[in-house]
Amino acid sequence: MRQGVVVPQLRADSAADVSRILRAARAAGADRSFLARAEAQLPRLHDLFRRLYGERTDGVERLASVVDLARRSWAERPAELRALDDARAADPTWFESERMLGGVCYVDRYAGGLRGIRDQIPYFRELGLSYVHLMPLFESPEGNSDGGYAVSSYRRVNPRLGTMAELAELAGEFRRAGISLVVDFIFNHTSNEHEWAQKAVAGVPGYEDFYLIFPDRTMPDAYERTTREIFPDDHPGSFVQLPDGRWIWATFYHFQWDLNYAEPAVFEAMAGEMLFLANQGVEVLRMDAVAFIWKQLGTACESLPEAHLLLQAFNAVLAMAAPGLLFKSEAIVHPDEVVSYISPEECQISYNPLQMALTWEALATRDGRLLQQALERRHTLPAGTAWVNYVRSHDDIGWTFADEDAAELGIEGYPHRRFLNDFYVGRHDGTFARGVPFQENPRTGDARVTGTTASLAGIEAGDAGGEDRVVLAHALALSTGGIPLLYLGDEVAQLNDYSYADDPHEAGDSRWVHRPHRPAQNYADRRDAATPAGRVFSRLARLIAVRRETREFAGNTLIGFGTPVASVVGFLRPGAGSAVLVLANVADGAVHVDALTLSGLEPDAVDLVSGEEIGVAGGLDIPAHGVLWLRVTLR
Ligand code: GLC
């Protein structure tokens, strides 16, 4: 190297840095399996660090200290979890199985606390769950905490729900029952009560740059020229003012302060919290709000390239210290961006907001074409990854389809979204839906929709098609591939709960309308065919049972099966020597799919749901809101 040239801290040629860090790990007593994984991951982690923190003089030191953190975390990893890591390595596509089924619930609302959740394990098994997402359960501010999405400590469970020791115990009990514990990794922001937040505001050395704090409006104004408002009901723009007059970045609620990942100490601190959770027995981390984690002036500050680099860096750390875990991406953005987070090196699984939103779109319009197009065009994923398909979540429904896709079908994005919002909040004549608007922005005309599945689908309004629509929406989520995820309570047709409006901490956030307490009566009725709960539950239970036995439903391969009937969504799930044909009719009347459309199939098929053989040579009748799962043979 020439004299006088400044040596960048993280060199493009990583070999020297990597071997120095590995030597240090060996000297510190790292075992062979850790060293092997560190050796495999370090070149890429080094490269990611160089791209993120190449300008920093402390880049190499930070990298070395992150690797040391991983070494210590591995040393403490319980034997049972190391055994899990081995099992996952031996069966890397475990999460693509047709036997995977997820459920999600709030700990307090569904079961009072972690002990109550343990008491639900027999029911989770009855339902066939293999994955349970417990909504945020960490210490968070009293009153409004955005449903726990404002975290004050990642190492303490909210005392109302239980303790961290109980969570670790529950993770073990889940595992022995064949259920993976999923929790949120809320790493874009902390609550304003988090120790880091308090220290940052107080100017404690080492913490000043953990958040984005500015003395006046100059920088906030500059950033806000290109950022969008996420919770306009709470505050305009992306910043809130501190009592001392300064401004701090807060994308969501005013008490959720965004972390500053341009500071490598923040990455290291968060990696520590991630590994701590991994060692409690968590098997999937739901990576919250991934699109927002990197900011750059002059951009929308969403889904920037560095957001991907950061996720990949967290992934590499995990691969060293807790290799059995998965990341699930929560990116509720344009479909091109959603898929950009999904790869074995970044997030292995991801919510599928497009399929979710377009299922509702199809039910409202009685036209399946946008959903059909999305399944044909946007369903494919890289090997080793999977969608998480859901009918609704704890959040609002946003109409995240691509305008350019819709335009091809002659649909204009803006008015179509307006129609869908009006339809689902009951402002449209003859609507079957009973939803509530969320974050309506009069300035932009934007809004989103909240409501339980049963209320949105028409059961609350007494619409004759309500139960069928609930079943249809789930039948799609259960058959398109990946991990279907049920919002617990929906399987027994739970309706909206409007009492949130009387609670001062919830009244301003209509998402609470669809986060009710566990509906004890509906569950008690689940075997009673005289009730909506009983009818919906028995039909969904049948679909779940059939899915488990249908090997074609594993994985993600899906081939569109277009029909001339606009209200029919059709696709094939191919298997070895056979395939399952799924046909769903979103219209309010029966339709006929003609013989010609089915002429590529052998005449004999099996209706998997009824178990009966049926002929397809003369075409097929599909009732109003009906779904067929047929095992067919291609000619
Ligand atoms: C995610 C959560 C949502 C929360 C937000 C901020 O989008 O799903 O409920 O409000 O992140 O943490």
Side-chain angles (χ1 to χ4, degrees):
M1 189 162 297
R2 274 189 296 127
Q3 290 286 312
V5 174
V6 178
V7 180
Q9 288 293 308
L10 287 148
R11 283 165 285 191
D13 175 8
S14 63
D17 291 341
V18 166
S19 61
R20 186 165 65 78
I21 293 172
L22 282 174
R23 261 201 315 280
R26 206 172 291 119
D31 67 15
R32 257 207 275 161
S33 83
F34 179 82
L35 287 171
R37 289 192 306 274
E39 195 171 348
Q41 297 299 330
L42 251 172
R44 98 165 153 128
L45 187 57
H46 185 282
D47 179 57
L48 292 163
F49 256 60
R50 200 171 57 80
R51 287 153 75 189
L52 287 162
Y53 305 122
E55 310 283 298
R56 302 272 308 207
T57 51
D58 58 350
V60 160
E61 261 67 324
R62 282 290 167 200
L63 177 63
S65 108
V66 165
V67 174
D68 196 53
L69 176 74
R71 176 191 64 76
R72 282 179 279 127
S73 176
W74 171 254
E76 287 162 13
R77 189 156 170 80
E80 198 184 337
L81 299 180
R82 291 180 177 209
L84 175 79
D85 294 330
D86 291 342
R88 298 307 189 214
D91 179 18
T93 58
W94 65 277
F95 58 88
E96 297 178 39
S97 159
E98 68 278 16
R99 302 181 85 83
M100 284 298 290
L101 179 67
V104 54
C105 64
Y106 283 89
V107 174
D108 52 347
R109 306 196 145 225
Y110 198 75
L114 292 175
R115 292 206 185 144
I117 293 286
R118 194 178 57 192
D119 297 339
Q120 290 296 329
I121 291 177
Y123 174 66
F124 294 164
R125 295 187 65 150
E126 172 194 332
L127 198 55
L129 300 185
S130 61
Y131 160 126
V132 171
H133 173 197
L134 298 180
M135 293 295 294
L137 39 73
F138 303 100
E139 199 176 275
S140 54
E142 281 293 314
N144 190 357
S145 64
D146 190 19
Y149 280 98
V151 177
S152 304
S153 165
Y154 298 87
R155 300 193 184 218
R156 282 195 299 272
V157 166
N158 184 328
R160 283 192 300 110
L161 308 178
T163 64
M164 193 50 85
E166 282 171 356
L167 183 69
E169 214 173 290
L170 180 66
E173 289 186 47
F174 270 9
R175 193 168 319 109
R176 290 183 281 282
I179 298 170
S180 297
L181 173 64
V182 184
V183 302
D184 286 84
F185 189 49
I186 301 150
F187 68 119
N188 172 70
H189 46 265
T190 70
S191 88
N192 55 351
E193 294 179 6
H194 194 287
E195 189 192 326
W196 303 339
Q198 312 254 307
K199 287 183 171 166
V201 168
V204 173
Y207 292 89
E208 307 100 317
D209 295 329
F210 261 51
Y211 300 81
L212 294 123
I213 306 177
F214 298 100
D216 54 38
R217 284 294 308 175
T218 316
M219 289 307 289
D221 284 342
Y223 278 112
E224 284 176 0
R225 271 196 277 282
T226 47
T227 58
R228 99 188 138 106
E229 291 179 352
I230 304 300
F231 282 179
D233 287 357
D234 185 65
H235 64 275
S238 305
F239 289 82
V240 294
Q241 195 164 25
L242 295 171
D244 64 12
R246 291 180 295 165
W247 292 84
I248 190 161
W249 200 303
T251 299
F252 297 93
Y253 275 107
H254 58 278
F255 48 79
Q256 287 165 303
W257 294 351
D258 291 49
L259 287 158
N260 172 25
Y261 278 98
E263 169 55 56
V266 172
F267 178 85
E268 182 179 347
M270 256 315 173
E273 307 310 87
M274 173 183 80
L275 294 180
F276 173 82
L277 291 174
N279 277 358
Q280 308 310 304
V282 172
E283 297 189 27
V284 179
L285 285 170
R286 174 192 178 277
M287 308 299 276
D288 186 61
V290 291
F292 299 94
I293 57 179
W294 192 270
K295 280 75 172 163
Q296 194 185 322
L297 195 62
T299 72
C301 298
E302 285 185 48
S303 288
L304 292 172
E306 288 83 356
H308 296 285
L309 304 181
L310 275 171
L311 283 162
Q312 290 166 24
F314 279 120
N315 176 305
V317 174
L318 202 64
M320 288 182 204
L325 264 75
L326 296 181
F327 281 165
K328 166 164 117 167
S329 156
E330 191 244 348
I332 312 301
V333 286
H334 187 284
D336 288 340
E337 279 177 42
V338 174
V339 291
S340 70
Y341 291 95
I342 310 171
S343 76
E345 291 75 36
E346 200 166 321
C347 296
Q348 296 83 6
I349 59 178
S350 165
Y351 282 107
N352 190 350
L354 183 63
Q355 181 178 315
M356 183 277 292
L358 291 183
T359 299
W360 291 108
E361 189 272 348
L363 290 172
T365 57
R366 281 81 163 174
D367 183 335
R369 287 175 306 153
L370 254 185
L371 177 56
Q372 180 76 28
Q373 181 203 49
L375 287 169
E376 291 177 7
R377 181 175 296 178
R378 296 189 178 272
H379 189 77
T380 305
L381 286 181
T385 66
W387 287 118
V388 174
N389 285 308
Y390 60 115
V391 174
R392 62 96 167 190
S393 72
H394 69 288
D395 280 331
D396 47 289
I397 299 174
W399 309 105
T400 59
F401 58 84
D403 283 14
E404 53 279 23
D405 291 358
E408 284 177 32
L409 298 173
I411 298 167
E412 228 186 294
Y414 186 79
H416 198 54
R417 287 191 180 84
R418 284 222 110 143
F419 157 74
L420 292 166
N421 282 326
D422 287 346
F423 186 93
Y424 278 107
V425 303
R427 289 180 193 149
H428 195 269
D429 281 351
T431 183
F432 52 73
R434 292 284 183 274
V436 178
F438 177 65
Q439 302 290 337
E440 255 184 323
N441 191 336
R443 227 166 29 77
T444 59
D446 278 347
R448 284 111 77 186
V449 168
T450 61
T452 67
T453 299
S455 289
L456 292 178
I459 297 182
E460 185 178 328
D463 186 87
E467 291 174 22
D468 289 344
R469 289 191 200 93
V470 172
V471 175
L472 182 151
H474 283 96
L476 289 173
L478 286 163
S479 62
T480 53
I483 305 173
L485 177 59
L486 307 173
Y487 191 96
L488 293 173
D490 277 2
E491 79 283 18
V492 287
Q494 183 168 27
L495 299 178
N496 285 346
D497 176 358
Y498 297 97
S499 66
Y500 78 99
D502 305 326
D503 181 324
H505 298 305
E506 295 174 2
D509 188 332
S510 68
R511 291 175 299 176
W512 290 107
V513 82
H514 63 213
R515 300 168 175 175
H517 289 263
R518 180 175 179 278
Q521 189 58 48
N522 295 38
Y523 280 108
D525 289 344
R526 72 185 188 277
R527 311 242 172 260
D528 179 356
T531 63
R535 289 187 296 270
V536 166
F537 183 81
S538 71
R539 292 171 71 187
L540 293 183
R542 175 71 191 144
L543 292 178
I544 290 167
V546 170
R547 174 186 147 85
R548 290 171 70 82
E549 303 305 324
T550 304
R551 56 192 183 277
E552 293 91 337
F553 284 157
N556 193 49
T557 311
L558 178 153
I559 302 165
F561 191 92
T563 77
V565 188
S567 69
V568 172
V569 177
F571 53 89
L572 285 165
R573 300 295 317 280
S578 66
V580 172
L581 173 63
V582 175
L583 294 170
N585 172 28
V586 294
D588 293 335
V591 295
H592 181 74
V593 175
D594 63 9
L596 183 63
T597 303
L598 303 171
S599 59
L601 308 175
E602 294 290 353
D604 297 326
V606 177
D607 180 327
L608 295 174
V609 180
S610 69
E612 280 164 19
E613 292 195 7
I614 62 166
V616 303
L620 282 168
D621 293 317
I622 316 176
H625 324 114
V627 183
L628 296 174
W629 285 358
L630 305 178
R631 180 166 281 129
V632 297
T633 312
L634 306 183
R635 280 191 201 258

